[in-house]
Amino acid sequence: MAKEKDNEKETKLSRLDAKREQAEAKKEEIVKQIEEIKSKISEETDEKEKAKLRKQRDELIEQKEAFVITDEKVKIPLAKGTKTAIKSCIAIVLVVALLVTYVATGWAKHGFISTLGWPQKAFTGLVLTDADGEKHGIKVSTYNYYFANFYNQQQQQQQYMSQLGGLGGESGSSDVDFEKAFKEQTYTDPDSKEKMTWSQHAENEVIDNIKSVYTYYYAAVKKNNGKEPEIKDDQKKELKDTLKEYKDEAKKYGYTLSAYLEAALGHGVDEATFRHEATVSYISQNYKDDYQDELAAKAYKDADYQKYLKEHKDELVSVDVKYFECSNEDEAKAMVKALKDDGSNFAALASKYSETAYEKKANKDAVETTYKSATRAMFQGVGAAIGTADEHEHEDGEKEQEEKYSGLDWLYSKDRKAGDKKAYSTSVVYVLKPVYLSDIKTVNVRHILIKLKDESKKEDEEEAGDISAEDATDAQWDAAKKGAEKVLKEFKSNKESEEAFGELAKKYSDDSNASDGGLYENITPNQMVPTFNAWCFDSARKAGDTAIVKTEYGYHVMYFVSAGKIEAWKYTAQQALASEDGEKTVDKFEKSIKIKKSWPGSCYFEVDTDISN
């Protein structure tokens, strides 16, 4: 008996060791992902894309810190993205995987009449009442489309959990069994702890998602005098490409496109329905983006800025520094030791300790390692070691602003003086100007990016594959430079106006903001990579200036539009104030919208897996 107990104990310990190894491996993978995202942040030129990357980084950090790995217990947290995936139905999600579930189990729901699809297309399943009290009917087919998206996202989430080996996880949305009917399973809301069937949970989520999309869709139509606004060209292309993928997939199963979509996305969801729902999603998102941009542009009085400054001074003040990130702490210590008191050899040392041939060459230019009007957020944004929060135990309810940043506290201390230098972990900083409130204003520029290309890696007949600065040959750099010179020559040979430059950006730029004419508004210091930043914030810069600037992405044809109207710190304050006020405005607006089920249409809602009847 004792031997059996020992064996059982040994088995449990063995399983725990296996779980611990898997947990450690998963945690290491997340740490690696965090570092990769930090690298992408430092390379990204588009501020909106940077914001997305920062959000991903913060979510991964939160997930990493939620791991529990002790001698007695192992817990792997559920990825934040999987918990909130069902809240995001704005973008089109290609749900080809659904075909396996729906087609394999057949048309077993709601009887023969339902399989024809006409009740779903004809009947109103939901009624949305907008802010003006006007009522809008939403078809059952719309509900079924969103149900399919919900269902697919749950499957994807479960697949993610299975990849973790069934370890840890949080109760709630990950516990669904796709071999059983939803109505036979219990869901517990992680916030309210309310218990309900999975069928009810699915319905709640689907209706919430429909409400969030259609709220802004109807607002967009109303603003456009009762007509649907046009969607953007890239959205039209995305929709076309998505439907092509569906059509190709349908052929594999011997389906027409509409039959395939009904099989994959539910009764009543044919090609016309899919096009409609995708278009509604695009219109909704476009209107919401414009609405939020409008809220973000709200103006404030100087008294508001001064009050914000008083309350958030640590976040708004700046320093001028030379900064470089070494590969390891030993190199950082060696670099500081070799650094002259006047900092004159900083660039040479940065070049010496750079990892790649491209960086060694680029960092010989002092502009690459010089940061003026640098805020705390800048160091955090580029993933600098000195901008990383200190390791400490996190207590329940701890807020982000309660994190400790001893490296930044040293750098932004009132005790700092010009000439101070420090190695903090892998970061090396040399103080040019200690903490102060910068009066530099934001700037507005347009640019046309000519990326480095590898003609031997053409993705199609027209486009060559992108290549990194580290891998590019001299010939490829020369080709990119000649491309930029050709574009600038074309600009100067015609009407040299901002509008003309914008049209050339749409035609030639490889950057993500090409469709916006290459425009970047209200750029703050150090938002862009060093050489781009230095050109923008040159004190001699004036409207209409042009130039070609080299960065790690290739060559940029620059056009200076104008200096902003307010100082960069005020713009930061304005954005924060507008964000807070905007959230309140949006929350009030969304709460004014009501949605409820309509009978008999709601009788034809998808309510469970097809095996349920």
Side-chain angles (χ1 to χ4, degrees), residues 146-182:
Y146 279 84
F147 180 89
N149 274 281
F150 170 85
Y151 190 95
N152 185 55
Q153 287 164 339
Q154 293 303 317
Q155 285 191 317
Q156 290 175 339
Q157 178 178 311
Q158 192 171 88
Q159 289 169 4
Y160 169 82
M161 291 301 295
S162 67
Q163 289 172 2
L164 299 182
L167 300 178
E170 298 178 5
S171 64
S173 59
S174 64
D175 295 335
V176 64
D177 183 349
F178 289 100
E179 298 300 318
K180 297 180 180 179
F182 278 6

Side-chain angles (χ1 to χ4, degrees), residues 212-243:
S212 68
V213 173
Y214 273 81
T215 288
Y216 290 96
Y217 167 73
Y218 285 126
V221 171
K222 184 168 290 188
K223 186 176 181 180
N224 198 44
N225 299 317
K227 297 179 181 179
E228 279 193 350
E230 281 284 317
I231 61 176
K232 299 175 183 177
D233 289 342
D234 61 332
Q235 293 169 337
K236 292 177 182 177
K237 182 179 183 303
E238 183 179 45
L239 176 54
K240 181 180 178 181
D241 292 345
T242 300
L243 283 170

Side-chain angles (χ1 to χ4, degrees), residues 327-366:
S327 300
N328 55 64
E329 293 186 8
D330 289 338
E331 287 187 357
K333 291 175 183 177
M335 181 172 171
V336 165
K337 186 176 181 180
L339 185 59
K340 295 179 179 179
D341 289 340
D342 63 359
S344 60
N345 63 336
F346 194 98
L349 290 171
S351 175
K352 176 182 176 180
Y353 288 106
S354 293
E355 290 187 296
T356 68
Y358 168 77
E359 290 171 339
K360 286 181 179 296
K361 185 176 180 180
N363 285 332
K364 289 179 180 179
D365 187 342

Side-chain angles (χ1 to χ4, degrees), residues 79-90:
K80 187 170 183 180
T82 60
K83 289 191 286 184
T84 60
I86 55 178
K87 297 294 185 182
S88 178
C89 282
I90 294 291

Side-chain angles (χ1 to χ4, degrees), residues 26 30 33 52 54-67 76-88 153-154 157 160-161 164 169-170 173-174 190-191 398 400:
K26 184 60 185 176
I30 291 173
Q33 290 174 4
K52 292 179 184 178
R54 287 172 185 145
K55 184 177 181 181
Q56 291 175 22
R57 176 201 63 194
D58 293 343
E59 288 176 353
L60 284 170
I61 290 173
E62 181 180 333
Q63 187 185 351
K64 182 196 74 171
E65 293 175 348
F67 273 77
I76 297 180
L78 183 64
K80 187 170 183 180
T82 60
K83 289 191 286 184
T84 60
I86 55 178
K87 297 294 185 182
S88 178
Q153 287 164 339
Q154 293 303 317
Q157 178 178 311
Y160 169 82
M161 291 301 295
L164 299 182
E170 298 178 5
S173 59
S174 64
D191 297 321
E398 182 177 6
E400 184 180 352

